[in-house]
Amino acid sequence: MLARLPPFIVRRRPLLLRKIYMPSLTGPRPVDWKAAAPPIPNFAPQHDSLPRLPVPNLTATLDRLKTSLLPLAHSEAEFTDAAKKIDAFGSHTGSGNLLQSRLLQRASEREHWLEEWWDNLGYLGYRDSAYGFDGQPAHLPQSPAARAAGLARGALVFRQKLLSGQVGPDKTKEGQFCMDTYRWMFDCCRIPGLQGLDWSVSHAGSKVDDLGHIIIVRRNRFWKLKGVVNGRILSMTELEKQIQHIYDSTTEEYPGVGVLTASNRDVWAKDHAHLAANPHNAHILDTIHSSAFLVSLDTDTPSSPIDHSHSLWHGSLSPSTSDAPGLKNRWVDKPVEFIVFDNARAGLLGEHSVMDGTPTARMCDEVLDWLADPTFDLGTPSASPLPEPEPLDFVIDDTTRTAIDKASKAAYELADSQSMSYHLTSYGKAAIKEFRVSPDSWAQMIIQLAYARLLRARGLKREGGTYEAATTRRYWKGRTETIRVVTSQSDAFDRKQLFDAAAKGHIALAKAAGTGEGVDRHMLGEPPLSSWRVSCMLTSKRGLKLCLKEGEPVPELYNDPLYKRSGNWVLSTSAIFSDHFPVYGWGEVVPEGFGVAYMTGYDDRLQYTVTSRKEMPNQEFMD
């Protein structure tokens, strides 16, 4: 339990304050906030070389929508009624063509017709996934300080390569992917907005001397560690010594300010503004925001995949006090937050509001590859003495202390409501390819079969669709589109012939989504995540609906129960692959749903992690 500390904490040495521009900490949100992160030099030409995200043809979108509704309809009459509304929306006298013309006009006037809407409605209301790493390579020291030092040096090397133009673009055989969001990986942070919309700040354009520091958190105490001194990245030995000093100097618990970042965004915005009102705290916030990344040194010692996943996701929980002490040692608004446990297990918690998971997955993969290579340059210690890490102790008054208590109890209630299961199959992509089936389609059809069997066993009907993310990064500033996985074929297969048809249908949907030819980004009739996890910035006007003018009636289609059901993502699924991620995942996005993270890249196994609320039949679904 936290010891009760006095309202003001006395620092060991005075804190040198530089002028803080307060609106950058508390708002209002700058109109051009995304311009704050400077472009990566070698990716700047993509602005002219990559195509823009197209506006899909309205008729084609409505045809895809109609097809996707058929397996979700509870009756023929329900489908017929929804189909009539779709036809009316797309008719010459319907509102669809008028809204489409306005959308095309919008696309002609800006670089990316979707970016602003999707930032606000799709991303700035939630945070994303956790990746668990494999063990520390045997040739490296095995202490938690050494584990943290290796990750820190590797990440600083990746950052240096990225900022100096030495990181090549992600690409497939069809061409390069847009790398624009990589500029939001380091030296930046998400900010909670008092006006209902968050934004991110980037300090990457600041003077070099002001950058390159890392924030280390141990027992809820924040430390500033200079990872780059006079342009030189500290060696792993130097970083280990600095981090060990933090371990040795932090033997008691400090006020858990970090848990405030896990609150409802509106609550956190108010608490953040109260913290920032104190100049001393404002400086600490600015130091956290401008840090290259953050390393949380947690006291947990997870062993099993489930324990590892829970410890990364939310840290330790205290049932006796209804408290979430693990989240007090985090700052979940940082896009890159490494977590190192006392047994040297490790992982990453990613915040993906302005950068999707694939860039951080690539960064982690390269860092872990480097560390696994005995020839990787771990750096040479300097003969010059280094400054010790600097503790950053917040001024804590009664208002903030009460906010911490409330946030911790709310976090406990949410984390304690969660269930998780984990499964490795006895076969992998090698066996799947013998059947000439895409491993991703195979994995998705297994998910659909398991869910259909669960519903049949319980005498239930589908109350939502399946979300699978497809990247649209072949386009400038492209991010994702939804693959509407549920089809009539995927719901019906019980023989190899029907399975093949379902798998081929999934491949066609995935390819269409990757070229921007989906349904959900065009229609945006429902938010990508249910409002139970999203701040209240979501409005009643979305997507094509956002092209409606004041006082114009909302088309009937948007209120149709089947249409709305199709955007209720009871299965939120996605896949990445890394040899270094034995666990990874995220939470479900609707209370009655499941989050399904899977990997198909191993020759000998498929990996599934399923999350849900405890009242859901999680293990039954997995079985």
Side-chain angles (χ1 to χ4, degrees), residues 171-183:
K171 58 185 177 180
T172 68
K173 61 184 179 181
E174 297 175 348
Q176 293 186 7
F177 278 172
C178 180
M179 302 291 284
D180 178 67
T181 61
Y182 273 71
R183 62 196 174 105

Side-chain angles (χ1 to χ4, degrees), residues 489-526:
Q489 296 98 323
S490 71
D491 250 15
F493 78 83
D494 57 5
R495 298 189 305 276
K496 176 67 168 63
Q497 182 179 3
L498 294 178
F499 182 92
D500 288 345
K504 289 178 180 177
H506 176 262
I507 291 173
L509 289 172
K511 288 182 176 179
T515 59
E517 295 292 332
V519 170
D520 295 274
R521 303 304 182 261
H522 190 191
M523 297 293 294
L524 272 176
E526 289 297 319

Side-chain angles (χ1 to χ4, degrees), residues 145-389:
R147 179 67 154 155
L151 292 171
R153 175 164 174 85
L156 286 169
V157 169
F158 186 91
R159 172 181 173 273
Q160 182 184 69
K161 289 178 177 292
L162 178 68
L163 298 181
S164 61
Q166 299 179 61
V167 171
D170 299 331
K171 58 185 177 180
T172 68
K173 61 184 179 181
E174 297 175 348
Q176 293 186 7
F177 278 172
C178 180
M179 302 291 284
D180 178 67
T181 61
Y182 273 71
R183 62 196 174 105
W184 293 102
M185 187 176 293
F186 300 111
D187 313 311
C188 57
C189 194
R190 178 175 173 174
I191 304 293
L194 282 170
Q195 287 75 37
L197 283 171
D198 292 1
W199 72 99
S200 288
V201 293
S202 173
H203 293 254
S206 302
K207 293 189 300 182
V208 173
D209 291 345
D210 293 334
L211 298 176
H213 64 279
I214 306 166
I215 295 296
I216 311 288
V217 195
R218 175 66 173 176
R219 296 189 182 277
N220 315 333
R221 192 183 198 190
F222 291 75
W223 296 76
K224 177 183 177 180
L225 189 161
K226 296 200 72 172
V228 180
V229 177
N230 297 325
R232 181 183 70 89
I233 298 174
L234 299 193
S235 70
M236 180 174 167
T237 299
E238 290 170 318
L239 288 166
E240 181 182 0
K241 183 178 179 180
Q242 299 273 58
I243 293 170
Q244 188 59 54
H245 171 79
I246 292 173
Y247 274 108
D248 295 339
S249 302
T250 316
T251 57
E252 62 183 32
E253 301 293 319
Y254 281 71
V257 177
V259 75
L260 299 177
T261 66
S263 289
N264 168 279
R265 299 306 296 179
D266 292 330
V267 174
W268 169 219
K270 294 176 183 177
D271 295 337
H272 180 268
H274 179 77
L275 275 176
N278 180 292
H280 176 92
N281 290 341
H283 176 83
I284 294 175
L285 290 170
D286 186 67
T287 304
I288 293 171
H289 297 164
S290 60
S291 63
F293 50 85
L294 187 143
V295 181
S296 170
L297 305 176
D298 274 20
T299 57
D300 276 7
T301 55
S303 54
S304 71
I306 294 292
D307 290 342
H308 196 183
S309 299
H310 276 297
S311 292
L312 289 169
W313 195 9
H314 52 67
S316 60
L317 300 176
S318 175
S320 63
T321 58
S322 298
D323 190 34
L327 282 168
K328 294 178 178 179
N329 203 59
R330 309 284 177 86
W331 198 270
V332 298
D333 284 351
K334 289 294 287 185
V336 173
E337 178 173 9
F338 293 107
I339 300 168
V340 177
F341 301 105
D342 275 356
N343 60 357
R345 298 291 289 272
L348 177 135
L349 186 67
E351 199 290 305
H352 298 324
S353 59
V354 288
M355 177 184 60
D356 297 320
T358 46
T360 46
R362 175 184 173 179
M363 180 272 294
C364 290
D365 223 21
E366 294 199 13
V367 167
L368 295 169
D369 279 345
W370 293 337
L371 294 174
D373 182 357
T375 66
F376 174 61
D377 181 12
L378 298 175
T380 302
S382 170
S384 303
L386 296 173
E388 288 187 349

Side-chain angles (χ1 to χ4, degrees), residues 464-486:
T466 297
Y467 177 102
E468 181 185 2
T471 183
T472 56
R473 288 176 57 205
R474 69 183 64 197
Y475 299 107
W476 172 245
K477 291 196 173 185
R479 296 194 63 176
T480 63
E481 175 58 275
T482 303
I483 305 171
R484 290 191 160 211
V485 178
V486 182

Side-chain angles (χ1 to χ4, degrees), residues 118-139:
W118 195 237
D119 279 343
N120 294 342
L121 301 179
Y123 285 105
L124 286 173
Y126 76 108
R127 54 185 66 91
D128 214 329
S129 52
Y131 307 135
F133 300 158
D134 51 9
Q136 176 84 322
H139 65 277

